[in-house]
Amino acid sequence: MRKVLVVEDDRFISAIFSLFLKDLGFDIIGRCKDGVAALEECKSNRPDIVLMDIHLEGDLDGIQAAEHIQRECEVPVIFVSSDTSHDVVERAVFSNSYGYLVKPITKKELGITMELAYYKHKADVDQKRREQSFRNYISKAPIAMTIVQDGMIRYLNNLALDLFKTHYMEDIVGTSLVDFVDDEFVPMLESVLADDFSEEIEPFHLQIKTFHQKPLKVMVHASRILFNQRPAFQFGLVEISGFMACVDELKKWREAALTGAGPVLVINRLFEVVDYNPAFREYVNPAFDMRGHSVFTMRPWMNIDRGALANIFNQETTDSVTISIETTTHLLECRGYVLNNDQGETEKILVVLREAKPKGQME
């Protein structure tokens, strides 16, 4: 039997409502004359429905009391009033009430409204709890998760905030996802967002930008969901910048190994020797380990044009470039392969010998 609280300051009308409700099979757990008492009664006895007059005695009118009851107790409220003025009805609508009955009312009208209010509120509560459970799932997910609706970012978890390099959700929520995607990848994203028919969405990768415009490569796992009872996309974002940088570097090492003549040298942005192989050492033949030394301090053993190296790093090109190295015995014609870090910045140059010309033969 569903429990009802009647809030009405007119004793005669309150008695009529009580008779109607008993005939309809409801259990009346109490009758109140003012909003404050109604709120306390709801906190104590948790009715299933509240039947609320609007013009009440005391500090709270019926609409104010209903807002408190729904916010603090999650109990549906049906208004009963003879007042049909625009301002009052509008306030009642915005209070998220579950019905508005105009006095005088019939028992049948009351019964139908009570049933509709009960089941609509139950559906609303179930949906709210499902959404809260879903939010909890996203918040605790082991990867960055974001919800996109109509192209706009509506929600994201803490790992996604870390991915976008901000601590503040308001920096991201409410903005267009396209604003954080590199121009080259926008058509790919838009095709996914526009596709309403595919049951499954294949994982795809994007290059996105952080809140401070730093590039990141991510693999996206997308699925369709309902968010706030409307269609949306759930995106799981896995950063692959480091992985893709390693893949790119391996490709360049492979190309260098297949096309080079054997000697290899690696130089960093500070123009220091990071590594080299024995074949390169044979051409240079220094009396010490060159690792950690600037190439410009080793001119007795090898000479590389400083401007050419600086241009390679400044241009941040992805293509291989020609580099000439002069040693005491040879002129080495080499190819330089740019190796980028996971931020897409030029980090090292892989120098591979293509041809060695002895100085004696050149003369």
Side-chain angles (χ1 to χ4, degrees), residues 170-325:
E170 55 267 28
D171 288 341
I172 309 294
V173 171
T175 60
S176 171
L177 181 59
V178 169
D179 293 343
F180 293 96
V181 175
D182 188 87
D183 291 345
E184 179 185 346
F185 294 86
V186 168
M188 163 65 78
L189 175 63
E190 289 180 338
S191 69
V192 172
L193 296 177
D195 187 357
D196 296 327
F197 305 102
S198 301
E199 292 184 4
E200 294 186 6
I201 305 173
E202 293 293 327
F204 58 97
H205 79 270
L206 296 175
Q207 180 159 305
I208 66 172
K209 296 170 283 190
T210 68
F211 183 67
H212 300 291
Q213 302 299 303
K214 290 288 186 180
L216 288 177
K217 292 182 174 67
V218 295
M219 180 63 70
V220 183
H221 299 269
S223 58
R224 292 180 181 82
I225 62 168
L226 285 178
F227 183 72
N228 291 335
Q229 302 182 44
R230 293 182 53 237
F233 287 89
Q234 171 185 287
F235 285 162
L237 307 175
V238 180
E239 185 179 354
I240 57 172
S241 299
F243 172 77
M244 295 302 292
C246 289
V247 169
D248 185 60
E249 183 169 331
L250 285 172
K251 288 179 180 178
K252 290 175 179 176
W253 275 99
R254 180 178 183 275
E255 182 181 348
L258 293 175
T259 60
V264 175
L265 171 70
V266 181
I267 303 169
N268 65 18
R269 289 187 69 92
L270 300 176
F271 307 111
E272 297 170 339
V273 175
V274 176
D275 213 344
Y276 56 94
N277 64 355
F280 187 84
R281 182 183 179 89
E282 288 182 9
Y283 281 102
V284 179
N285 199 25
F288 55 91
D289 187 344
M290 294 184 292
R291 295 176 184 87
H293 290 272
S294 170
V295 294
F296 305 124
T297 64
M298 293 187 290
R299 289 190 173 175
W301 297 276
M302 67 174 179
N303 185 18
I304 304 177
D305 183 76
R306 184 187 188 101
L309 282 181
N311 285 338
I312 295 172
F313 283 114
N314 291 335
Q315 292 173 2
E316 297 184 349
T317 179
T318 58
D319 300 325
S320 61
V321 293
T322 300
I323 297 176
S324 296
I325 301 177

Side-chain angles (χ1 to χ4, degrees), residues 76-96:
V77 177
I78 298 172
F79 292 121
V80 183
S81 177
S82 57
D83 191 341
T84 58
S85 63
H86 178 269
D87 290 344
V88 170
V89 172
E90 186 175 53
R91 283 182 63 210
V93 169
F94 285 113
S95 72
N96 196 29

Side-chain angles (χ1 to χ4, degrees), residues 3 19 21 23 40 70 93 112 121 126 129 152 169 185 205 224 251 261 270 287 305 343 354 362:
K3 301 181 294 184
L19 288 173
L21 292 169
D23 287 346
E40 292 303 317
Q70 291 181 119
V93 169
I112 292 171
H121 179 260
D126 289 344
R129 287 174 181 164
M152 309 296 286
M169 193 169 290
F185 294 86
H205 79 270
R224 292 180 181 82
K251 288 179 180 178
L270 300 176
D305 183 76
Q343 302 295 317
R354 291 295 180 86
M362 291 171 59

